[in-house]
Amino acid sequence: MNRPDVTAYLQRVITERLGRPVGMGDTLLDQTGFDSLAIVAVIDRVETDLGLEMDPDLLVPETFTDLGTLTEAVCRSDSRGTT
Amino acid sequence: MRLTDRFFAAARQWPDQAAFDTGDRVISYREAAARVTGAASRLADRLEPGDRVALNLGKSPDAIMLMLATLAAGLSYVPIDPAAPPARRAFVLADSGARALIVDDRTEAGWPDDVDVDVRVPAAGLAGLLAPAYSAGLPAADRDDTAYVLYTSGSTGRPKGVVITHGNAEAFVDWAAGYAGVRPGDRVAVHAPLHFDLPVFDLYASLTTGATVCPVSEHVALFPQALLRMLRGRRITVLYAVPSALIALLHRSTLTEGGLPDLRLLLYAGEEFHPAPLARLMAALPDTEVHNLYGPIETNVVTALRVRPGHLRLSRIPLGHAVAGARIFLVNDGVPVTEPDQAGEMLVSGPSRTPGYLDRPELTAASRAVVHADGQDWTCHRTGDYATRDAEGVLHFLGRRDGLVKTRGFRVELGEVEATLLRHEAVQEAAVVAIADDEHTNVLHAFAIAEADGEELRQWCLQALPPYMVPATVTVAADLPRTSTGKLARRELAEGLSA
């Protein structure tokens, strides 16, 4: 999956979880309902759907700043998994 | 001596010790005492003794200094969950009758302009409120005066405020600081949110003994690996947290690679910690003493047990002995049990038993029972938890009455979630069940007979309830299974989900 596709995919997963749209610039951790359960659910879904495992060092607040930083982390996990 | 007197005494004894260390900001006891004094005198000037002050603040030294300032000013505080939706925050403000509202950058946007309070401090006013001052004539609070009000889930759909007096808080803190041996040089994490009762230990056991308070920011607390880095990086020596958070740390961080060498003491409370994951956690923390604390918010901690290897082979970790001056009766059909190993509901009396719920005399009365023992009457709080006491006097937890569950350490009345669903105009009937979950203790699932879809109803809950009370799923059905008496068959619903 290329980067724009990953972003669109993540946007869809998070929007479904929160039940309302999230935009590119939105701070994910400030969204009501984006709590520890939501984070675990999103990570589990991404790991299953994309067949990758995110490094624990990427599962930190900085990764969830916005869709851009999350896309970056997912793409890094992806390349690690396939090379 | 009130808690704030002890804080000021600690500040005189250890002025150069750090009272707070956030990683970015270190505040000495000298500076903290001056800021608390300044804020206390400014609040006392504008409010009447006994007034309540609502603090809708993220977890920060400023928030904690304002808690101390309200106590030092003869006022009481009501911490409001920054993660709660605006409607619930407004409910708590109104229900508590708070005369002041203090907000920060993150919470400010959630409040309308026309809030009915005498004093409103905007985010931009925080620095001025906390500007240092070096002396102030402050009113002294009484043992029986309210120190703070903590809101918890209420079964009829309304959260209820638990009133905690200075005497209640002191009884707990006196015991806890001694039990944990908190001292200068200790670095005590504040992991739980400030509207919860666990931080009462973190803040007051530390700030009365010269130890350093290290708040775990809300964002860091969401991520086990970030929490691990924080605990290591700031060399935390004492951590008090709920089992769900510790299990997440065990499974979702690199804790097992290197452990936490500085952590001398780990306390847990809020829900059961099953022996298998606890054994794995303790294996990862070979140099850390682990203790199980128990007590509802209405009594604070009333039992404690140092967990030893032998306990890990039992099916449940014992609760331990009564502590903090508490007297615990096991009552069966209105009569205290007398023989070892007989089961009864735990009824708690003692100095940490709180006076009840704010402006809810009917709820307070229902939570009470009087036990006659040793020639006197003991007014007790009914915990709703069942236990036995063995021949050595150790209490063993058996389970809870229906309706109240723990999820991630938070207490949730299923009836409150059901009542929230029923307030939606399209909902005719609703049932909420809790399904046991290894990582989160319980996960909530809702069922409704409604002319709306499940996702719309989940959204409705998100707007009305704190995130931990929102069901993970809402299933809409044409009808729901019933018991022979026509009541909703919650057990059948739960079994359907577990299957």
Side-chain angles (χ1 to χ4, degrees), chain B residues 135-146:
Chain B
S135 68
L138 294 170
D142 218 51
R143 262 189 84 74
D144 293 332
D145 288 345
T146 302

Side-chain angles (χ1 to χ4, degrees), chain B residues 40-383:
Chain B
S41 64
R42 287 173 199 108
L43 291 169
D45 281 348
R46 298 170 69 186
L47 293 158
E48 295 297 320
D51 278 353
R52 287 186 273 279
V53 178
L55 301 175
N56 191 209
L57 302 167
K59 200 192 294 165
S60 66
D62 285 357
I64 297 164
M65 288 189 284
L66 287 170
M67 292 168 147
L68 286 162
T70 59
L71 299 182
L75 307 162
S76 59
Y77 62 82
V78 185
I80 301 182
D81 180 4
R88 191 181 180 91
R89 290 191 244 168
F91 172 86
V92 172
L93 180 75
D95 188 74
S96 69
R99 297 320 309 153
L101 171 64
I102 305 178
V103 299
D104 62 20
D105 287 337
R106 217 180 109 223
T107 62
E108 190 154 47
W111 292 97
D113 292 332
D114 57 337
V115 172
D116 176 27
V117 289
D118 300 327
V119 174
R120 182 166 179 171
V121 181
L126 274 182
L129 180 61
L130 281 160
Y134 295 92
S135 68
L138 294 170
D142 218 51
R143 262 189 84 74
D144 293 332
D145 288 345
T146 302
Y148 47 91
V149 179
L150 301 179
Y151 274 78
T152 186
S153 181
S155 58
T156 56
R158 270 173 72 189
K160 55 196 181 194
V162 180
V163 172
I164 293 98
T165 66
H166 286 265
N168 296 150
E170 288 159 17
F172 167 69
V173 172
D174 279 346
W175 165 76
Y179 182 83
V182 182
R183 53 190 176 254
D186 264 326
R187 300 168 60 79
V188 180
V190 187
H191 178 269
L194 295 179
H195 65 282
F196 207 41
D197 58 351
L198 271 65
V200 173
F201 168 82
D202 308 328
L203 307 186
Y204 299 118
S206 304
L207 294 172
T208 55
T209 58
T212 301
V213 169
C214 302
V216 181
S217 81
E218 288 87 346
H219 287 177
V220 167
L222 287 172
F223 295 93
Q225 186 68 8
L227 175 63
L228 179 74
R229 283 187 194 165
M230 181 272 176
L231 296 172
R232 283 183 182 158
R234 277 193 264 152
R235 305 186 325 281
I236 296 301
T237 63
V238 179
L239 172 65
Y240 185 21
V242 296
S244 304
L246 298 169
I247 290 170
L249 191 64
L250 182 67
H251 291 324
R252 296 180 179 274
S253 82
T254 52
L255 175 71
T256 51
E257 298 159 25
L260 292 168
D262 294 301
L263 189 70
R264 67 173 184 85
L265 184 64
L266 175 65
L267 308 173
Y268 75 83
E271 59 194 351
E272 269 197 279
F273 208 144
H274 295 291
L278 181 55
R280 289 196 292 275
L281 180 69
M282 288 175 68
L285 301 172
D287 303 319
T288 306
E289 269 188 32
V290 177
H291 294 253
N292 175 21
L293 309 185
Y294 160 85
I297 202 163
E298 291 88 346
T299 66
N300 215 319
V301 170
V302 289
T303 72
L305 174 92
R306 175 169 179 189
V307 181
R308 304 274 184 185
H311 295 128
L312 300 171
R313 291 192 289 273
L314 303 173
S315 60
R316 285 183 136 153
I317 304 299
L319 297 175
H321 287 95
V323 297
R327 183 77 195 253
I328 301 176
F329 301 98
L330 301 180
V331 174
N332 191 5
D333 287 333
V335 182
V337 305
T338 49
E339 297 299 312
D341 304 323
Q342 284 183 309
E345 181 184 354
M346 284 196 281
L347 268 61
V348 178
S349 189
S352 66
R353 181 186 58 79
T354 55
Y357 305 107
L358 185 65
D359 295 332
R360 307 286 288 276
E362 74 295 348
L363 282 183
T364 300
S367 72
R368 288 282 169 80
V370 175
V371 173
H372 190 77
D374 307 336
Q376 60 169 302
D377 286 332
W378 304 77
T379 300
C380 296
H381 171 72
R382 300 185 56 173
T383 64

Side-chain angles (χ1 to χ4, degrees), chain A residues 16-20 27 29-30 32-40 43-44 56-62 64, chain B residues 83 85 106 219-220 222-226 229 252-254 407-408 439-440 443 455 458-459 462-463 467-468 472:
Chain A
E16 276 174 25
R17 174 75 203 186
L18 298 180
R20 60 175 186 284
T27 306
L29 298 178
D30 287 345
T32 303
F34 207 73
D35 59 1
S36 58
L37 266 186
I39 290 166
V40 169
I43 293 167
D44 280 352
D57 281 325
L58 290 173
L59 302 181
V60 292
E62 300 85 281
F64 287 77
Chain B
R106 217 180 109 223
H219 287 177
V220 167
L222 287 172
F223 295 93
Q225 186 68 8
R229 283 187 194 165
R252 296 180 179 274
S253 82
T254 52
T407 173
R408 287 170 282 165
E439 196 150 330
H440 308 288
V443 174
E455 189 49 37
R458 213 178 69 80
Q459 283 302 309
L462 268 175
Q463 300 309 315
Y468 61 86

Side-chain angles (χ1 to χ4, degrees), chain A:
Chain A
M1 223 192 276
N2 63 28
R3 184 174 290 256
D5 288 348
V6 170
T7 303
Y9 161 78
L10 290 169
Q11 189 164 22
R12 196 174 74 239
V13 168
I14 295 170
T15 296
E16 276 174 25
R17 174 75 203 186
L18 298 180
R20 60 175 186 284
V22 285
M24 275 309 289
D26 290 343
T27 306
L28 297 175
L29 298 178
D30 287 345
Q31 304 297 311
T32 303
F34 207 73
D35 59 1
S36 58
L37 266 186
I39 290 166
V40 169
V42 168
I43 293 167
D44 280 352
R45 169 116 185 245
V46 168
E47 290 185 341
T48 308
D49 288 358
L50 304 186
L52 51 83
E53 192 165 334
M54 290 182 74
D55 188 315
D57 281 325
L58 290 173
L59 302 181
V60 292
E62 300 85 281
T63 296
F64 287 77
T65 304
D66 56 31
L67 283 169
T69 55
L70 187 56
T71 301
E72 173 69 31
V74 167
C75 290
R76 274 168 62 192
S77 304
D78 196 24
S79 58
R80 196 176 324 211
T82 52
T83 53

